[in-house]
Amino acid sequence: MNQPAETLPPPLHYDDALVAGVLKDVRTIAMVGASPNWVRPSNFAMKYLLGKGYKVIPVNPGHAGKEIWEQMVYAELGEVPGPIDMVDVFRASKDAGGIIDRAIELKDEKDIKVIWLQLGVRDDAAAARAEAAGLTVIMDRCPKIEYGRLFGELGWCGVNSGVISAKRPKR
Amino acid sequence: MAEKKTAPDGPHEFGFETRSIHAGARPDAETGARVTPIHQNTSYVFEDAEHAADLFNLQTFGFIYSRLTNPTVSVLEERLANLEGGRAAVCAASGHAAQFLAMFTLLEPGDSFIASKNLYGGSITQFGHSFKKLGWTCHFVDPTPEEFQRALAAHPDAKCIFLEALANPGGLIVDLEPVAEVAHAAGIPLIVDNTLATPYLLRPFDWGADIVVHSTTKFLSGHANSMGGAVIESGKFDWAASGKFPGMCTPDPAYHGLTFYETFGDFGFTMKARAVALRDFGPAMAPMNAFLTITGTETLALRMDRHVQNAQTVAEFLESHPAVSWVSYAGLKSSPWHTLAKKYLPKGAGSVFTFGLKGGYQAGIKCVETVELFSHLANVGDTRSLIIHPASTTHRQLSEEQQIAAGAGPDVVRLSVGLETAADLIRDLDRALAG
Ligand SMILES: Cc1ncc(COP(=O)(O)O)c(C=O)c1O
């Protein structure tokens, strides 16, 4: 670590079973902060998740009405048509709270079940509000990386998945 | 929906031996083959044009071409990352190639770094001469926290500290924890060559190191049948904090403007080492070598326990021998590094060490020529016991003064103690040292 440990909150731990369950159950993802620029991490994650069969709806007021990877971009969560299983937040930690509160407001209307904050994005207070409202919250993780890690692809580029198992993987 | 529950006692931590056998290597999904298959193969068929584009853009995980990734090599990469307690690893054709990949990913032309004086001789040459041609300057220092601190004060723009925690050949041990603090205070990573200790005896990340490099040629493969190397990152270094690593934190022209740290986070260094340095220079590990090294890692714990046990027995024998003037093995109470060994290497101080002969140069030559069981060659970390007289071989180009400074004076003999019956090794040395 090259930062004093005191300044960082303790790292978050999520059971593999929880994360794998979320990735298995979720079908529709609203990606807040999705970028049309292909070298941006959000664009990477969106392309990957589309490839894995998820419906990914980009939310970004700066690009509303345009398309990213052939998906219509909406200005804000409330405008996304139909239900949303998971809100995936690609915004700075300081902006996450407002998005989480909006997701809590829309929870019943949109049938939102999970809020996921990207790698490096964390707001413990807002997460507590969302959990109190019955939402599952995962912070400081990337769904692309977690999908790759738990379903065997991440080790292909030398990443330590932490998975130890003698079971034959399902094709 | 799965319920969020963190187990009260945290996740189960598998032991080192379990991870040595299983990490990275599940049964083959296609065939059920239990042993990792040797993918003796160069290239991989794309599903369609879009899949190909996604792979080239690094937007999905998968195989393109074995210079970048190979399914056998990636099993070894994940295993080594796991055993070191790191985030990710990239393998290379040799230990030297791994050092090159790490430095190429870190340094720009004109950059400098600080390295321990007590390194494998080949590393001293690589850093001091060949790297100079690439515009990288290495400042060598005695590997103490104070000397690293002084060197950083003199060279505040240095980009990393590089050292062998258990050094080849001298048996010297570096006080890692304060050196890591010195590096981090300057906002730069500590790179540790952990070849001689292996993650079974020492895990540098536990003491603050940020990158570990290996010559897997040695104890990891363990049977002297495969060249190889690896670079492993801890995943904990903040590449953005100091502003010293624009190569990690700004759009990379070598990869269409991708910013590696931002895109891949805690495995960004490994991705860049692979997608740029390995791609453009090409020192990939051969799949067959990865297979043999995977097999080697499965018995690492057993082998290292016996290596250090035999080394301790042989070192104690030599220390009491009348023809021997000194033995430099940190497992001996007489070693100046014995206290550090207890802290950093509680399971044993490795099995490579040097000793001095009262009879000087001629006695050294006689010793390596008389042994029957020790193999006279230039390697370490084999099941077989190995011996060399550096002054007449690896260090013969140097003046006597330079030889002594390098721990390779005329009287010095280096051993790599193997896994044979200890009594047989002692008998062999006793014969070779006799009058
Ligand atoms: C400590 C150490 N580092 C690096 C190397 C270089 O590794 P390789 O020979 O695999 O290139 C060696 C080889 O002897 C070594 O002993």
Side-chain angles (χ1 to χ4, degrees):
Chain A
M1 293 281 255
N2 59 337
Q3 287 178 12
E6 314 74 80
T7 64
L8 297 169
L12 295 160
H13 169 73
Y14 300 103
D15 272 356
D16 286 354
L18 166 82
V19 179
V22 164
L23 292 171
K24 274 196 189 113
D25 294 345
V26 158
R27 286 293 96 206
T28 305
I29 300 170
M31 187 177 278
V32 182
S35 167
N37 178 355
W38 85 260
V39 297
R40 303 297 304 154
S42 60
N43 191 281
F44 267 54
M46 181 175 169
K47 186 80 203 300
Y48 182 80
L49 295 170
L50 283 169
K52 297 298 168 196
Y54 295 98
K55 183 171 164 62
V56 187
I57 303 162
V59 175
N60 186 336
H63 298 276
K66 297 180 200 149
E67 287 188 351
I68 303 177
W69 296 120
E70 294 167 9
Q71 312 301 310
M72 177 63 72
V73 184
Y74 294 91
E76 79 95 23
L77 274 180
E79 290 177 14
V80 173
I84 300 170
D85 296 325
M86 176 166 111
V87 177
D88 183 10
V89 181
F90 268 92
R91 297 293 303 274
S93 293
K94 65 175 173 45
D95 301 324
I99 298 162
I100 291 177
D101 288 333
R102 182 68 178 135
I104 295 172
E105 274 171 30
L106 292 169
K107 173 180 166 276
D108 294 329
E109 183 191 331
K110 294 275 164 207
D111 207 14
I112 299 171
K113 301 175 198 79
V114 183
I115 295 178
W116 189 306
L117 308 194
Q118 267 316 117
L119 214 51
V121 187
R122 181 164 172 180
D123 182 337
D124 290 12
R129 295 196 291 276
E131 281 171 354
L135 289 162
T136 298
V137 181
I138 294 175
M139 298 189 284
D140 194 19
R141 295 285 187 279
C142 171
K144 174 189 175 197
I145 291 172
E146 291 303 298
Y147 188 100
R149 186 175 74 80
L150 292 166
F151 302 108
E153 294 185 0
L154 201 57
W156 294 348
C157 54
V159 177
N160 177 13
S161 68
V163 175
I164 299 285
S165 170
K167 286 255 181 291
R168 182 168 170 174
K170 298 254 176 338
R171 294 283 307 156
Chain B
M1 189 60 45
E3 242 202 300
K4 174 182 170 164
K5 270 299 151 256
T6 304
D9 50 351
H12 177 68
E13 299 274 353
F14 287 100
F16 188 89
E17 293 79 0
T18 305
R19 293 184 286 122
S20 301
I21 293 166
H22 291 282
R26 297 187 66 175
D28 185 53
E30 200 75 56
T31 62
R34 184 51 280 214
V35 170
T36 298
I38 305 167
H39 291 271
Q40 192 65 36
N41 175 61
T42 58
S43 5
Y44 307 83
V45 178
F46 305 120
E47 286 162 22
D48 51 35
E50 188 168 355
H51 180 229
D54 286 353
L55 283 169
F56 277 105
N57 288 348
L58 302 178
Q59 285 179 321
T60 191
F61 305 111
F63 300 99
I64 301 175
Y65 189 60
S66 289
R67 170 151 39 81
L68 295 163
T69 47
N70 170 281
T72 310
V73 178
S74 60
V75 168
L76 178 61
E77 289 169 338
E78 180 170 357
R79 177 156 312 163
L80 295 178
N82 185 301
L83 293 181
E84 285 288 2
R87 179 62 170 143
V90 54
C91 280
S94 68
H96 265 17
Q99 290 170 193
F100 173 79
L101 293 184
M103 290 302 181
F104 187 82
T105 306
L106 214 54
L107 303 179
E108 306 296 328
D111 277 350
S112 72
F113 65 105
I114 319 277
S116 163
K117 265 184 195 160
N118 294 83
L119 299 179
Y120 161 61
S123 300
I124 304 247
T125 314
Q126 185 189 41
F127 292 179
H129 296 285
S130 292
F131 279 4
K132 199 177 263 172
K133 287 187 152 185
L134 303 172
W136 306 333
T137 306
C138 177
H139 304 288
F140 291 103
V141 301
D142 283 324
T144 64
E146 299 74 28
E147 288 301 313
F148 282 121
Q149 181 73 66
R150 207 164 296 151
L152 274 175
H155 308 286
D157 295 332
K159 293 292 170 69
C160 70
I161 291 178
F162 184 103
L163 56 84
E164 289 174 20
L166 175 61
N168 181 8
L172 169 150
I173 293 170
V174 180
D175 197 356
L176 278 184
E177 212 171 8
V179 174
E181 280 165 21
V182 166
H184 295 163
I188 60 173
L190 170 62
I191 306 184
V192 173
D193 178 342
N194 199 28
T195 298
L196 289 202
T198 82
Y200 179 68
L201 298 179
L202 172 70
R203 271 178 301 285
F205 294 151
D206 293 350
W207 304 103
D210 305 289
I211 293 169
V212 163
V213 295
H214 276 285
S215 166
T216 63
T217 315
K218 309 295 173 346
F219 294 99
L220 288 172
S221 68
H223 299 71
N225 54 20
S226 306
M227 296 299 298
V231 183
I232 303 153
E233 78 178 300
S234 71
K236 297 197 178 109
F237 190 77
D238 185 339
W239 297 101
S242 70
K244 289 183 175 176
F245 301 100
M248 287 296 299
C249 303
T250 53
D252 192 334
Y255 223 102
H256 325 298
L258 192 77
T259 303
F260 278 91
Y261 188 38
E262 181 188 48
T263 306
F264 296 106
D266 60 3
F267 59 100
F269 184 84
T270 305
M271 284 301 274
K272 182 162 176 169
R274 184 190 305 283
V276 179
L278 189 58
R279 179 196 65 178
D280 292 351
F281 294 92
M285 181 185 270
M288 183 69 193
N289 287 13
F291 173 81
L292 290 166
T293 307
I294 289 165
T295 306
T297 58
E298 291 173 12
T299 55
L300 182 65
L302 286 172
R303 287 186 291 106
M304 292 315 289
D305 274 338
R306 182 58 63 87
H307 274 298
V308 298
Q309 190 186 325
N310 279 359
Q312 184 75 29
T313 308
V314 170
E316 284 171 12
F317 160 75
L318 288 171
E319 193 168 44
S320 67
H321 198 284
V324 172
S325 44
W326 53 266
V327 181
S328 177
Y329 180 59
L332 294 174
K333 288 205 180 65
S334 60
S335 165
W337 296 290
H338 190 63
T339 314
L340 285 177
K342 279 195 182 147
K343 172 172 178 180
Y344 291 107
L345 296 136
K347 290 191 196 132
S351 87
V352 177
F353 65 89
T354 51
F355 64 97
L357 288 171
K358 289 180 185 158
Y361 189 87
Q362 287 307 328
I365 294 207
K366 175 173 173 284
C367 176
V368 297
E369 287 185 343
T370 314
V371 284
E372 290 272 351
L373 197 52
F374 278 79
S375 305
H376 180 202
L377 53 74
N379 189 24
V380 296
D382 189 348
T383 55
R384 285 151 282 258
S385 289
L386 315 175
I387 192 165
I388 197 158
H389 178 230
S392 63
T393 54
T394 51
H395 291 66
R396 69 174 300 133
Q397 257 68 276
L398 306 182
S399 67
E400 185 168 326
E401 200 174 39
Q402 287 174 313
Q403 288 175 346
I404 292 167
D411 63 328
V412 176
V413 173
R414 184 186 76 188
L415 300 182
S416 172
V417 179
L419 303 178
E420 300 94 336
T421 308
D424 294 337
L425 298 175
I426 287 175
R427 176 177 167 274
D428 198 34
L429 289 171
D430 200 24
R431 275 183 57 255
L433 297 176

